[in-house]
Amino acid sequence: MSPERPSDAPPTLEDVLAAVDTLWPFRLQEDWDASGLVTGRAEQPIRRVHFAVDPVAAVVNEAVSRDADLLLTHHPLLLRGVTSVAAHTFKGRVIHDLIENSCALLCCHTNADSARRGVSDALLAACGVSPDDAAPLVPHDTDPSVGLGRVGTLATPVTLRELADRLAQRIPPTAQGLRVAGDPERPVSTVAVCGGSGDSLFDEVRAHGADVFVTADLRHHPASEAREAALGPGGSGTPALIDAAHSASEALWLPWAAEDLRHELERRGFAVETSVSSLRTDPWDFRIDTPGT
């Protein structure tokens, strides 16, 4: 802390960025990602930090209504290039609302996926596996102890149905709910997870001998091929699949993130208030079951 600053002064945005980089290092983000600061001045004081999965208009309004100085989201606002942030566009409106209300925006996407106590660790903990006993599905080049996805073993095996029921009680509700592929009475012990879209990781899931893969956004062809391989000649019947809504699979991390950032800033001599969004930002509003399901 700078000696010129009063001992009870709030952290600046620069201080918060340093703490965030300790918890979820930006060097861990994937090459295609856009994690980092979107709006805000380095010298801006930060007293309240609001956490959410998606930087959508309703979340920005929620953050502003809570007098947040910083909105920290998992998903980037500007993942792909834009040529205008004029207020008549939905992304431009978000940026204008943030700046006009002195609320900075910081995104922690794949860096928070890969880091310890990140998105996949939170999802694995919801399954009943301690993250301390887990390994990354895809170790990071610079630090093999972290990386995308997680795999670990339940202390006590459960049936696939029991694991799905457990997750249904812990994952935020969405119109989709949970989709499950596999024998509901089959025991599962080794659990692989990937918060968000995980159907590019089937090879790694099989290589770790996982009984079940918990993820989101499973497309028809990768999921069908994975199940055909599991049930075909020489197949073991695994992995079974549990598919959640994308944002729901990642929202479990938000309370962890709020707590960890608050503690890291306390360690550095700062106090901030944190809050977690109560909004459901999954884009689907309702579901109609078809007859016979």
Side-chain angles (χ1 to χ4, degrees), residues 2 30 45 54 64 85 91 106 112 126 132 146 159 175 179 193 195 215 240 258 283:
S2 170
E30 298 295 298
D54 295 298
V64 169
V85 291
K91 290 189 178 183
L106 174 64
D132 293 336
V146 298
T159 67
R179 301 187 298 178
V193 305
T215 187

Side-chain angles (χ1 to χ4, degrees), residues 46-59:
I46 303 295
R47 296 177 176 84
R48 299 179 185 87
V49 184
H50 192 55
F51 288 78
V53 174
D54 295 298
V56 295
V59 165

